[in-house]
Amino acid sequence: MGVKKNMVNTILTIITFILFVIIMFPFFIVVINSAKSSLEIITDPISLPNQWSQLLVNINDIWNRPSIRYSSSVFSSVIITVGSLTTITIFSAMSAWVLVRTKSKLSTIIFLVFLSGLIIPFQVVMFPLVAFFRMIYEATGIRMLRTYHGMIIAYIGFGAPLAVFMFHGFIKSIPLELEEAATIDGCSRPQIFFKIIMPILRPIFVTVIILNAIWIWNDFLLPSLILGVGQDVQTIPLAIRAFAGSFVKKWDLIMTAVLMAAAPIIVGFLFAQKHIIKGMVAGSIK
């Protein structure tokens, strides 16, 4: 029995290692080719670079190239990502809290409407979304396309359903007696939420932030629709696209730019992975 169990564990370990190599191989290719010139990449894309210092040369070229505006793209990505994450997490937590504590058919219907956003494909609504933003501009004069607030509002619409679902499952486990005691002590509803509920929701907050940050930071399709390519406001994926022209593709700069874009998300995920797992497990159980 023990020999059979050890054999199964060995096979599972080998399979896990093979899957790890397959998953990490694209990242390995990006890392080694970001420290090469275009000629070296075309000649031998899977060999180690001759000089790792070429990575610094590529980074400097990307950062200081005026036609790409990579530094302004980083600023735009930070503004859009931080603004979207802040609004998605806070508004979704508030909505889930109200839906859980309000026992009515209307709250159930509203919750199901939120959940419907998880099953509607983005491709179905992407062109109607652009048309709707144009209608808002024609009716009110408020620009939604090619603006920061337009991107943030779009991300709220697509990110809130999953966030509400996760917060809803966790809040149901919070004893109502905590809120009743706070009410007796004279706390208002905003004070109850921000001083009692939000600290308890910290694991779910971290999970929702990381999951949405990965998607928003790396998203290309929605910014290309809302912001457009080559406009004043552009995110990092839109800036990277500028390295791939119709006739010439600067593979060295593409690889380096991809590595630069992925580095903040990877670092953030490594620091927060404990909270992510804790939040997902807590939300699923509770």
Side-chain angles (χ1 to χ4, degrees):
M1 190 70 178
V3 175
K4 184 178 180 180
K5 184 177 180 180
N6 291 334
M7 184 178 298
V8 172
N9 291 335
T10 302
I11 294 175
L12 291 177
T13 302
I14 294 173
I15 294 175
T16 303
F17 178 76
I18 294 174
L19 292 175
F20 172 79
V21 172
I22 294 174
I23 293 172
M24 292 301 297
F25 184 73
F27 182 72
F28 171 75
I29 293 297
V30 170
V31 171
I32 62 174
N33 286 312
S34 62
K36 296 179 183 179
S37 63
S38 290
L39 180 60
E40 290 176 315
I41 295 174
I42 296 173
T43 304
D44 193 357
I46 61 174
S47 66
L48 294 176
N50 296 325
Q51 294 181 341
W52 285 97
S53 59
Q54 182 66 33
L55 175 61
L56 299 178
V57 175
N58 292 341
I59 292 175
N60 183 70
D61 189 6
I62 292 172
W63 198 262
N64 295 315
R65 187 174 288 237
S67 59
I68 302 301
R69 297 182 289 115
Y70 194 83
S71 58
S72 63
S73 300
V74 172
F75 176 78
S76 298
S77 289
V78 170
I79 293 295
I80 293 172
T81 303
V82 172
S84 300
L85 294 178
T86 302
T87 50
I88 288 173
T89 52
I90 294 179
F91 291 164
S92 298
M94 289 180 175
S95 301
W97 179 55
V98 172
L99 291 174
V100 170
R101 297 309 185 208
T102 304
K103 305 296 183 181
S104 66
K105 291 183 179 180
L106 180 60
S107 64
T108 303
I109 294 174
I110 294 175
F111 180 62
L112 293 177
V113 171
F114 273 112
L115 293 185
S116 66
L118 296 175
I119 61 176
I120 299 176
F122 167 71
Q123 292 79 5
V124 174
V125 298
M126 60 182 185
F127 289 115
L129 175 65
V130 175
F132 179 66
F133 278 2
R134 287 175 179 160
M135 291 171 57
I136 292 177
Y137 175 71
E138 294 172 358
T140 64
I142 300 175
R143 288 185 56 195
M144 302 296 292
L145 298 176
R146 300 183 177 85
T147 60
Y148 291 120
H149 59 268
M151 280 302 310
I152 292 173
I153 291 174
Y155 279 129
I156 292 174
F158 290 108
L162 178 60
V164 170
F165 174 74
M166 296 182 68
F167 282 122
H168 192 278
F170 193 91
I171 292 174
K172 287 192 297 185
S173 67
I174 300 176
L176 184 60
E177 290 77 10
L178 291 176
E179 301 173 29
E180 293 175 346
T183 303
I184 294 174
D185 289 338
C187 291
S188 62
R189 286 183 65 82
Q191 290 175 326
I192 292 174
F193 177 79
F194 287 104
K195 293 184 178 181
I196 297 177
I197 302 301
M198 277 191 66
I200 300 176
L201 295 177
R202 184 179 301 172
I204 299 296
F205 265 104
V206 176
T207 303
V208 171
I209 286 173
I210 293 298
L211 293 179
N212 283 284
I214 295 173
W215 158 54
I216 294 172
W217 185 265
N218 296 320
D219 187 28
F220 174 81
L221 183 55
L222 188 56
S224 65
L225 292 172
I226 303 300
L227 300 178
V229 179
Q231 303 298 323
D232 294 334
V233 179
Q234 65 175 5
T235 58
I236 293 177
L238 296 180
I240 295 175
R241 183 186 182 279
F243 294 120
S246 302
F247 304 100
V248 178
K249 291 180 174 58
K250 303 180 184 299
W251 289 112
D252 53 341
L253 302 184
I254 291 175
M255 294 295 179
T256 306
V258 169
L259 182 62
M260 292 169 61
I265 295 297
I266 293 174
V267 173
F269 180 83
L270 292 177
F271 277 104
Q273 60 178 336
K274 178 179 69 174
H275 299 284
I276 295 173
I277 297 173
K278 180 180 178 182
M280 294 185 70
V281 172
S284 62
I285 295 177
K286 297 181 179 182

